[in-house]
Amino acid sequence: MSTVTRLTTAETAKLLRAELKRVFPRVTFGVRSKRYSGGSSIDVTWTDGPTPAQVREICQRFRGADFDGMEDLKTYRGPQTIDGQRYEMGADYVFETRELSPEFK
C-alpha cells in the first residue's frame, strides 16, 4: 500500500497551480487559498482562455470534500493520485471563475 501525504490548503493550491500551468501553458491563472472556521477553499480565476468546464475537470481532482445541499451534508473524499503520488487534499472546495475581456466578447 502506498503512502498518503496530507497536504495543507496552501500546498494543495500550489499543486493545483502547477497542474493548470501544465495543461494550459498559455493561460495565467490566479490561485488563492482561504482558511475559515470549518474548512478551507481555493479560488481559481482566469481571463478568456479555456471554458469553465475544462478548468473544472482539472480542479475537481484537488477538492477534499463534496457538499450535498439536499441533506446539508459535507462528505470528505479519499486520497487522490497525482503523478503516481497519493495525496489527501487540504482544501475542501475549489471554485472556478472565468472573466471575459471586452475583446473576447
Side-chain angles (χ1 to χ4, degrees):
M1 180 178 252
S2 63
T3 304
V4 176
T5 303
R6 179 158 172 76
L7 301 174
T8 66
T9 304
E11 290 168 335
T12 302
K14 184 177 179 180
L15 201 60
L16 173 55
R17 180 182 287 114
E19 183 66 3
L20 288 168
K21 186 174 185 168
R22 184 187 72 75
V23 176
F24 306 108
R26 294 187 179 107
V27 179
T28 301
F29 289 92
V31 180
R32 304 286 180 260
S33 59
K34 288 193 269 187
R35 294 183 45 84
Y36 44 82
S37 175
S40 63
S41 63
I42 298 171
D43 291 315
V44 176
T45 58
W46 73 102
T47 302
D48 302 337
T51 67
Q54 290 172 313
V55 173
R56 190 172 302 115
E57 186 175 329
I58 303 300
C59 291
Q60 72 180 350
R61 296 180 16 222
F62 294 85
R63 293 183 176 123
D66 292 305
F67 183 75
D68 181 344
M70 292 292 289
E71 296 186 34
D72 194 24
L73 177 68
K74 177 167 73 170
T75 55
Y76 292 95
R77 294 177 160 200
Q80 301 292 316
T81 302
I82 298 172
D83 295 332
Q85 290 282 88
R86 290 176 42 88
Y87 296 104
E88 189 172 309
M89 300 302 166
D92 294 331
Y93 308 108
V94 179
F95 302 106
E96 308 88 11
T97 306
R98 178 187 187 198
E99 297 290 327
L100 297 177
S101 68
E103 299 80 22
F104 190 82
K105 290 179 186 178

